[in-house]
Amino acid sequence: MKLIIGQGSCGNAAGANKVYEAAKQYIKQNSLDIDLTSTGCIGMCYLEPIVETVADNGEKHTYVKVTEALIADIINSLIRNTVLEHISMSQEDKLILSKQTRIVLRNCGNINPEDIEQYIAKGGYKAIEKCLRQMTPKQVIDEVKTSNLRGRGGAGFPTWFKWDAARRSQSESKYMVCNADEGDPGAFMDRSVLEGDPHSIIEGMMIGAYAIGASEGVIYVRAEYPLAIARLKIAIEQAVQRGFLGRNILGTSFSFDMRIKVGAGAFVCGEETALIASMEGERGMPRLKPPFPAQKGYWQQPTNINNVETFANIPWIINNGGSEYAQIGTDKSKGTKVFALTGKIKKGGLVEVPMGISLRDIIFDIGDGIVKDKQFKAVQMGGPSGGCIPVELLNTIVDYESINKTGAIMGSGGMVVMDETTCMVEMARYFLDFTQKESCGKCIHCRLGTKRMLEILERICGGEGKEGDIELLEELANKIKESSLCGLGMTAPNPVLSTLRYFRKEYEQHIYDKKCTAKQCKSLLAYTISKDSCTGCTLCSRKCPTGAISAERKAVHSIDKEKCIKCGKCFEACNFNAVLV
Amino acid sequence: MNCCCEANSKPFDKLDPVFDKYKNKPGSLISVLQEAQELYGYLSMETLEYIAKNIGVEASKVHGVATFYTQFRLKPVGKYLIMLCKGTACHVNGANLIEEAICEELSIREGETTEDKLFTLNNVACLGCCSLSPVMMINGETFGKLTSAKTKEILRELKERQSSDQEVDTL
Ligand SMILES: Cc1cc2nc3c(=O)[nH]c(=O)nc-3n(C[C@H](O)[C@H](O)[C@H](O)COP(=O)(O)O)c2cc1C
Ligand code: FES
């Protein structure tokens, strides 16, 4: 009998750690013969903590939203071979899983990431063996070319092309680097794969290293992911012990070593040349390309950099064939894409879908629509480099070219859903605030232009917008795009340009009518009290920090606009919905 | 560094093994700074200068790297480090209100430490628990689905735990 607890960062945050401890205690106290293990994130974050039981006859059962108090019941029903219906995963939720196509996430939530044997039992390290024994580096690259796999780090550059360039570079030493810096501040796909299936990344990197002729690999992970770092360390150690890493791997002439480099918190370090500078212990400042990393990268040697998700696809492609992979998807975008579906969505989490699926299907079919059934307004893709896609374009399909056409980008996979209560001007301000802080400062337009744009947006949200602001934003945006050296500056204005494209009216309402229809921009709100609903209970006036509410018991209250600081305390306090905004 | 007791006469001894570990590995400045911060909680000017001297890099460069990356703290932090997520999902779900609640409860702003050295507030990007947004992490423990009221309650509980700890200490 087996008890498997989902312990990704998200599961632990929801209490999976405590559930694990409770289970351990219970099993020990009652001297039960039950195998307790943990696994990575299955992606259904809204159901965490998730516990799976496996009976001796192999029968599996999944329980959701489990608490410590439920552990005894779960274990007892496992022993008695009964089922606790009220906490079982619903048919509907199982259906959601079945709507996905799991290649990258094939093992996430299915194996114990801290046990290499489980990865091997799922066919792990078969792909590298096949490469080493049956394929030349050129054939490996051809297979990846057939698959048409494009980089999942954002830009969608064909993976085979980069590998081929690095292979052609002549040098004694070459490097294979995994970009696990995951900078988009609303995305966690890479983290889940690192935590849930670290060996798939190691194997993907090995295959790439064999193809380009590298003997050293580095995984650059962001410091904010302690669990991912810990699991990677364990995975590398185990791979070394089992002889998958080191000298003369599987008795061949191929040797490969791997280490982890922990980042130190800078968004720009996700950019290739900045990442290399950071790996060398410098400030993470991008430099002009060419020379490309494939010619001169880490320590001036040929270097290939790929994203986590890109690598996770590779073993599958080698095992199943590039043409099998190319069966999935659209004309120019093949395979699957993992998205972190978040924001105002009912069933948020990690989803892996085939390219070509529509945004509507992802948000309304898999994600089950908007929290509290509010009105959908837009979905943000590509984070600080991307844009918002409005309701009219919900039928857009997921493929690099189609998404680009909307003014957003595929990005690394952040998908933040927004509803009627999200202010689009404020969203643009949020992203500019982010990029302005993260600009490394090398290019003047990126350093100062983003600051000026942020100031204008702050002014507009603060009720001080004036005529000409929109035009000025557009002018600055185009200048910054034209005169920045790296992708950060080149894309930083996108959140503003895309919201201007689809939500210009909201900007105009802020500037000319001094109104924020989403009711998010404080300075533009006016609080009043409804004569009809106020019962004269004085609660609001007691909560008001500035004494702006005149409140006589049993009389209708009123708010002094001069004194009101728009903190919203009265709105929160009122039990009769009498405070209006 | 106003302590003059013996244990502190060589305040940077603990760094020597770190220097040894990275001696023959070029490009390790960031790793050395990370380990130093782990040891001392933050990077003082003296620490940075000591590192510069010992690994043979100009102090200006060490300072440049330490100020470039957000992970490095040049000031000491409180006993409880509050990492408030300002990622996109948390932002959309009201992280601003949580920040206001924290600032109000503790009378500090982002980046500051309370006078009693109990709390420091740092904003961070996505903690990876977006489905529980808004989220904060205090000394490694994650708190999700926050509201203003719940946030204040959590902080008050920590304050109370602290003062009862102190009572035990003085008994
Ligand atoms: C400002 C900036 C931030 C980036 N951040 C990331 C990141 O966090 N993760 C990532 O894989 N790629 C990131 N990229 C893209 C990388 O530069 C690079 O294209 C990618 O890692 C290549 O891998 P791929 O071909 O597998 O996509 C970023 C690019 C820019 C300009
Ligand atoms: S945005 Fe806050 S946890 Fe992801």
Side-chain angles (χ1 to χ4, degrees), chain A residues 32 41 79 216 221 231 260 282 347 362 389 436 480 507 568:
Chain A
L32 298 170
C41 171
I79 294 169
E216 203 178 328
V221 198
R231 293 214 170 128
I260 299 168
E282 305 284 331
K347 299 192 169 169
I362 298 180
I389 301 174
Q436 185 264 324
I480 296 170
Y507 280 82

Coordinates of all heavy atoms in Angstrom, one line a residue, chain A residues 32 41 79 216 221 231 260 282 347 362 389 436 480 507 568:
Chain A
L32 N 2.1 0.7 10.8 CA 1.4 0.2 9.5 C 2.5 0.0 8.5 O 3.5 0.6 8.4 CB 0.4 1.3 9.1 CG -0.7 1.6 10.0 CD1 -1.5 2.8 9.5 CD2 -1.6 0.4 10.2
C41 N 4.3 18.7 -8.4 CA 3.0 19.4 -8.6 C 2.3 18.8 -9.8 O 2.9 18.7 -10.9 CB 3.2 20.9 -8.8 SG 1.8 21.8 -9.3
I79 N -6.8 1.0 4.0 CA -6.6 -0.3 4.6 C -7.9 -1.2 4.4 O -7.8 -2.4 4.0 CB -6.3 -0.3 6.1 CG1 -4.9 0.4 6.3 CG2 -6.3 -1.6 6.7 CD1 -4.6 0.8 7.7
E216 N 30.4 20.2 -20.4 CA 30.1 20.8 -19.1 C 28.7 21.5 -19.2 O 28.4 22.2 -20.2 CB 31.2 21.8 -18.7 CG 31.2 22.0 -17.2 CD 32.3 23.0 -16.8 OE1 33.3 23.1 -17.4 OE2 32.0 23.8 -15.8
V221 N 19.7 28.8 -11.8 CA 18.3 28.8 -11.2 C 18.2 30.0 -10.3 O 19.1 30.4 -9.6 CB 18.2 27.6 -10.2 CG1 16.7 27.4 -9.9 CG2 18.8 26.3 -10.7
R231 N 16.1 19.9 -5.0 CA 15.8 18.7 -5.7 C 16.7 18.4 -6.9 O 17.1 17.3 -7.2 CB 14.3 18.7 -6.2 CG 13.3 18.7 -5.1 CD 12.1 18.0 -5.4 NE 11.3 17.8 -4.2 CZ 10.0 18.1 -4.1 NH1 9.4 18.6 -5.1 NH2 9.3 17.9 -3.0
I260 N 25.1 23.5 -10.5 CA 24.0 24.5 -10.4 C 24.6 25.9 -10.1 O 25.6 26.0 -9.3 CB 23.1 24.1 -9.2 CG1 22.5 22.7 -9.5 CG2 22.0 25.1 -9.0 CD1 21.8 22.1 -8.3
E282 N 29.8 38.7 -12.7 CA 29.7 40.1 -12.9 C 28.3 40.6 -12.7 O 27.3 39.8 -12.5 CB 30.1 40.4 -14.4 CG 31.4 39.8 -14.9 CD 32.5 40.7 -14.3 OE1 32.3 41.9 -14.2 OE2 33.6 40.1 -14.1
K347 N -10.3 27.8 -11.7 CA -9.5 26.6 -11.5 C -8.1 26.9 -12.0 O -7.7 26.4 -13.1 CB -10.1 25.4 -12.2 CG -11.4 25.1 -11.6 CD -12.0 23.7 -11.9 CE -13.2 23.4 -11.1 NZ -14.0 22.3 -11.6
I362 N -8.9 27.3 -23.1 CA -8.0 27.2 -21.9 C -8.7 27.9 -20.8 O -8.8 27.3 -19.7 CB -6.7 27.9 -22.2 CG1 -5.9 27.1 -23.3 CG2 -5.9 27.9 -20.9 CD1 -4.6 27.7 -23.6
I389 N -4.8 40.5 -24.1 CA -5.7 40.1 -25.2 C -7.1 40.2 -24.7 O -7.5 39.7 -23.7 CB -5.4 38.6 -25.6 CG1 -3.9 38.5 -26.0 CG2 -6.3 38.2 -26.7 CD1 -3.4 37.1 -26.3
Q436 N 10.9 49.2 -15.1 CA 11.7 50.4 -14.8 C 12.7 50.0 -13.7 O 13.9 50.4 -13.8 CB 10.8 51.5 -14.4 CG 11.5 52.8 -14.1 CD 11.7 53.0 -12.6 OE1 11.0 52.5 -11.8 NE2 12.9 53.6 -12.3
I480 N 11.8 53.9 -27.1 CA 12.4 52.9 -26.2 C 12.6 51.6 -27.0 O 13.7 51.0 -26.9 CB 11.6 52.6 -24.9 CG1 11.5 53.9 -24.1 CG2 12.2 51.5 -24.1 CD1 10.6 53.8 -22.9
Y507 N -8.1 54.7 -20.8 CA -7.1 55.7 -20.6 C -7.8 57.1 -20.7 O -7.6 58.0 -19.8 CB -6.0 55.7 -21.7 CG -5.0 54.6 -21.4 CD1 -5.1 53.3 -21.8 CD2 -3.7 55.0 -20.9 CE1 -4.1 52.4 -21.6 CE2 -2.7 54.1 -20.7 CZ -2.9 52.8 -21.0 OH -1.9 51.8 -20.8
G568 N -11.3 53.5 1.9 CA -12.2 52.4 1.7 C -12.6 51.6 2.9 O -13.3 50.6 2.9

